[in-house]
Amino acid sequence: MSLFKADRAGGEGDLLDVDSLEHEGGIPPIESRLRHNILRMPKEIERASGIVVYGRTIRSLIFSTDIAIIRNCDADAVFCVYPFTAQRAVSAAVLQAASMPVFVGVGGGTTQGTRAVYLAMDAENQGAMGVVLNAPIPNRDLRTAARILDIPIVVTVTTIATDFRRRIENGATILNVAAGAKTPEVVAKIRAELPKVPIMASGGRTADSIAATIDAGANAIVFNPPSSSELFRELMDGYRGR
């Protein structure tokens, strides 16, 4: 199944046929002649309750730093986390390009201590909706960040052995579960121990894995999109008439 919205018929000079507009759930779609192919988040994510941050409901987060994908998707927010040391240039580029809120990774693994806290402060000053700290972040650094920041702190959980309650007590606002195939199991354990804690979690690539994660108790799903090359392959196959 294509992840893109279907192309509208007609050439560049054609006017839109008003009778052809399709409303999903009674919501009128607004598109343009050129900007109508976007990467859509899986429908299963709509079942999530969402997390309300500053009045905005966040159900889907796109896990990407690819500006082209971020500019052409319908996610509720961006999950700007990447496998390198946190750098201001990266977060600044994503924040400038994104049309939706951004949660910025500021370290916690290789980058800890004062540097991680400074990066978190900088992300807040740049306009991030929240910051993301990696699983190894010590509770002392988490406490320091919580005393200084006025935006949500997302702490990543990678194993069921994590002391979830201590993370919340030390300043985590949201728990982000990234435990691979065991993600639903970890989400369920957190939800049983801490019924009111906001949880976002990786949903995997399939409808079944997303549904299982939501059923386990996740409020929002972090979606790992196809790469630009994968999306381009799909587009080129269409051009070739396959």
Side-chain angles (χ1 to χ4, degrees):
M1 180 180 294
S2 174
L3 287 167
F4 286 113
K5 293 181 69 176
D7 285 337
R8 278 198 316 234
E12 291 189 3
D14 292 344
L15 295 175
L16 178 63
D17 180 4
V18 176
D19 294 330
S20 70
L21 289 174
E22 296 182 4
H23 292 199
E24 297 182 8
I27 302 173
I30 305 299
E31 298 175 345
S32 68
R33 176 170 49 84
L34 299 178
R35 295 182 61 181
H36 54 274
N37 276 0
I38 63 170
L39 177 64
R40 305 194 66 165
M41 297 300 98
K43 289 291 184 184
E44 290 73 20
I45 296 179
E46 296 176 5
R47 295 179 46 225
S49 66
I51 300 170
V52 179
V53 183
Y54 302 131
R56 299 185 65 142
T57 301
I58 308 295
R59 291 186 177 87
S60 61
L61 300 97
I62 191 157
F63 182 12
S64 180
T65 54
D66 187 317
I67 299 301
I69 288 178
I70 289 169
R71 289 291 300 180
N72 292 278
C73 73
D74 65 353
D76 297 321
V78 178
F79 197 74
C80 176
V81 178
Y82 45 94
F84 308 103
T85 188
Q87 300 170 57
R88 189 182 198 278
V90 176
S91 58
V94 172
L95 283 160
Q96 182 178 16
S99 58
M100 68 282 270
V102 179
F103 289 80
V104 174
V106 294
T110 303
T111 307
Q112 295 185 0
T114 303
R115 180 175 174 82
V117 175
Y118 281 164
L119 285 166
M121 292 169 58
D122 189 54
E124 178 179 12
N125 291 333
Q126 289 181 75
M129 174 171 270
V131 295
V132 183
L133 289 167
N134 291 335
I137 190 75
N139 281 328
R140 65 177 183 276
D141 294 345
L142 177 56
R143 286 195 305 272
T144 301
R147 286 197 297 267
I148 295 172
L149 300 180
D150 191 43
I151 55 176
I153 299 175
V154 180
V155 175
T156 298
V157 173
T158 58
T159 170
I160 202 166
T162 302
D163 189 339
F164 314 120
R165 188 175 297 276
R166 287 286 291 164
R167 286 308 210 186
I168 297 299
E169 290 173 348
N170 280 279
T173 315
I174 301 168
L175 295 180
N176 166 54
V177 182
K182 294 185 177 181
T183 292
E185 179 185 353
V186 176
V187 169
K189 188 172 189 294
I190 296 172
R191 184 55 67 222
E193 293 183 9
L194 303 168
K196 296 183 179 180
V197 166
I199 302 173
M200 56 178 63
S202 302
R205 286 283 187 92
T206 70
D208 288 345
S209 63
I210 292 171
T213 305
I214 293 171
D215 290 342
N219 304 107
I221 295 295
V222 179
F223 179 65
N224 187 10
S227 67
S228 291
S229 62
E230 291 174 295
L231 294 173
F232 226 120
R233 186 181 307 119
E234 180 181 322
L235 190 64
M236 294 303 291
D237 285 345
Y239 288 160
R240 298 183 188 107
R242 294 183 182 179

